[in-house]
Amino acid sequence: MLIAQISDPHLRPSGVLYQETADSNGDLIRAIDQLNRLAPQPDLVVLTGDVVDHGSPAEYAVARDILSRLKAPLLVIPGNHDERGAFRHAFQDHAYLPSEGPLHYVVTVGERRVIALDVTIPGEHHGLFDAAAEAWLEAALAAQPDWPTIIMMHQPPIMTGVPYLDEYRCLGADRLAACIARVPAVERLLCGHVHRLMQMRFGGTLLMTAPSTTTAIALQIDPAAEPASFIEPPGFLLHDWRDAHSLLTHYLPIGTFPGPFPFA
């Protein structure tokens, strides 16, 4: 089973640049074109939040148009730049999304499952795994405790060492780590938000963040560092779920590069 993870496209109304700098709409189109050329095709694409930048209906109209180009099925969760009501309306035909409350859900594929955890707080940039989210996740995990599982969420619950990212992390990390640690079948915790590839152990599993399909947030670990971004080669992740408990992750830069050459 192949699962492609894209994240943080920050789509804008047609003709408008992200942060008046980057063509985030065109960047996502190029990412989808590359995904559609993969052979074999992904069985599933997950989008880990910040689908749009300001949460406006015009942005979500662009999002639906661009995402409709995907050949593979799509799962989406909101990020801090999404507006939950407008997000729910825009993706109302995605039957897995709940009709009210946080946009938590479970999708099963055979005897494997993807659990989506909505830790966003309306009007805030940080996330929160609170007691209500804990109760929901515990019940979801307990339904099939032995099924290999991926959990996806937007804000990662870790300190990255980048000061302007850590301010907007998901709070409640100890609560979440303890919840996940009780279920060894959780194979990955997939996040977005930080516009970079990062990974570390968390709750007895591996936490990974995906790069953005548009700009990269600068990796600055000086405590006095000011927020900054670069237009670096964007990318996405490809998770190769080979068997129940063997999940290999690849990073793929988005773009056209010299090659292929007849050597390896």
Side-chain angles (χ1 to χ4, degrees), residues 165-182:
L165 290 178
D166 290 341
E167 184 178 353
Y168 300 136
R169 69 192 184 277
C170 178
L171 305 179
D174 290 345
R175 183 196 301 266
L176 178 57
C179 189
I180 292 173
R182 290 192 286 271

Side-chain angles (χ1 to χ4, degrees), residues 117-173:
L117 195 58
D118 178 10
V119 295
T120 60
I121 306 170
E124 300 289 345
H125 287 299
H126 69 279
L128 176 65
F129 183 74
D130 58 13
E134 179 184 27
W136 183 90
L137 181 59
E138 282 192 331
L141 290 170
Q144 289 93 18
D146 299 323
W147 282 21
T149 299
I150 287 174
I151 298 174
M152 66 175 189
M153 56 193 286
H154 182 62
Q155 295 98 332
I158 58 172
M159 296 289 288
T160 67
V162 180
Y164 42 82
L165 290 178
D166 290 341
E167 184 178 353
Y168 300 136
R169 69 192 184 277
C170 178
L171 305 179

Side-chain angles (χ1 to χ4, degrees), residues 11 64 71 78 129 138 181 190 194 239:
L11 299 174
R64 288 309 308 263
K71 294 179 180 178
F129 183 74
E138 282 192 331
L190 303 181
V194 296
H239 307 287

Side-chain angles (χ1 to χ4, degrees), residues 7 13 16 56 58 83 88 90 92 115 133 159 164 177 194 209 245-246:
S7 200
V16 179
S56 71
E83 198 284 317
R88 197 191 311 269
Q92 60 185 306
I115 295 180
M159 296 289 288
Y164 42 82
V194 296
T209 67
H245 299 287
S246 179

